[in-house]
Amino acid sequence: DLYVYDLHPDDPALYRYGEGWERMRTVIEPVDVRGEAAVDTHLAFTRHGPVIWSDAKACRAVAVRTALLEPGAAPYLHGLKVMRATSFDAFRGSLAGWSAPSVNQVYADVGGDIGWVVAGADPRRPNWDGLLPVPGDGGYEWDGFLDPATHPTALNPIQGFIATANEFNLPESWLETYEATGWEWSNDARARRIKAVLGRQPAHSLEDSMALQ
């Protein structure tokens, strides 16, 4: 999410929040330059995240907030727990702590069960949808995250296979209760092709997978 701030005309390190002003946190990172001395880069952060653009003359700044930077996100680290799951319930439960990146997780076991779980931190936005920048003055704050137990899931679907290729695949039944919080998806051509091929095969071999790939 992009947040736009009003900066204090006398101090561009102050941004308006609520009825007052907050000071940006600054981190200095040295950047090595070949053949030259290292250059110090000043990185600024608001309560929402890193500042990606600032104009002191215009008294404006923009910062980005992402679940990737939330405490405990630890991208992919929860995969260690996921790989130790020995049942679909354990697999789904291990994904409750998966924060970022948001992904489709697929499951198969030696007993023949197959499953699918959507995993990722899903911010609740009570008064906007995240499509456009919003003021960073406190009027547009996340209200925590959607309960992972409500994320879409499937176990042993009737078609006998699970296919996902980064396309929009949130079930209509789920969207009747929850709003999609993601708006950018890959074209569904790959997903349609995979489903068309698997859908006409009574069985699928390693050679079939190689040919499809």
Side-chain angles (χ1 to χ4, degrees):
D1 288 355
L2 291 177
Y3 287 90
V4 182
Y5 306 91
D6 292 329
L7 302 182
H8 196 289
D10 298 325
D11 187 348
L14 294 176
Y15 64 95
R16 183 174 293 283
Y17 190 81
E19 298 300 320
W21 300 91
E22 288 194 6
R23 183 167 296 278
M24 297 179 186
R25 180 172 61 91
T26 301
V27 176
I28 301 176
E29 293 280 3
V31 177
D32 292 332
V33 179
R34 179 180 295 177
E36 304 288 344
V39 176
D40 285 341
T41 300
H42 294 251
L43 306 176
F45 298 81
T46 70
R47 62 165 49 223
H48 298 116
V51 176
I52 60 173
W53 177 86
S54 181
D55 187 331
K57 291 183 178 180
C59 295
R60 289 286 189 275
V62 177
V64 63
R65 185 176 188 185
T66 168
L68 278 165
L69 297 180
E70 290 294 301
Y76 295 110
L77 187 60
H78 283 280
L80 300 176
K81 185 177 181 180
V82 173
M83 288 186 290
R84 294 183 174 91
T86 57
S87 68
F88 182 72
D89 286 341
F91 174 77
R92 185 179 182 186
S94 68
L95 290 170
W98 185 287
S99 174
S102 54
V103 289
N104 290 280
Q105 295 275 11
V106 291
Y107 170 89
D109 63 28
V110 295
D113 288 329
I114 60 174
W116 165 72
V117 176
V118 171
D122 215 358
R124 291 194 298 256
R125 302 181 182 93
N127 56 331
W128 86 108
D129 58 17
L131 278 174
L132 295 173
V134 292
D137 58 7
Y140 296 86
E141 296 294 341
W142 291 355
D143 181 24
F145 296 91
L146 197 65
D147 182 354
T150 66
H151 287 173
T153 182
L155 176 64
N156 296 326
I158 191 170
Q159 69 267 24
F161 65 86
I162 294 169
T164 170
N166 297 334
E167 82 286 5
F168 183 82
N169 62 356
L170 297 175
E172 288 295 331
S173 57
W174 188 83
L175 292 172
E176 290 175 359
T177 304
Y178 306 99
E179 291 185 4
T181 53
W183 303 99
E184 296 181 4
W185 305 80
S186 295
N187 183 282
D188 67 349
R190 287 191 303 138
R192 287 189 286 109
R193 172 61 177 165
I194 293 169
K195 293 174 182 178
V197 172
L198 296 182
R200 64 172 180 259
Q201 292 178 331
H204 190 75
S205 67
L206 177 60
E207 290 73 20
D208 290 329
S209 283
M210 294 170 64
L212 179 57
Q213 184 67 37

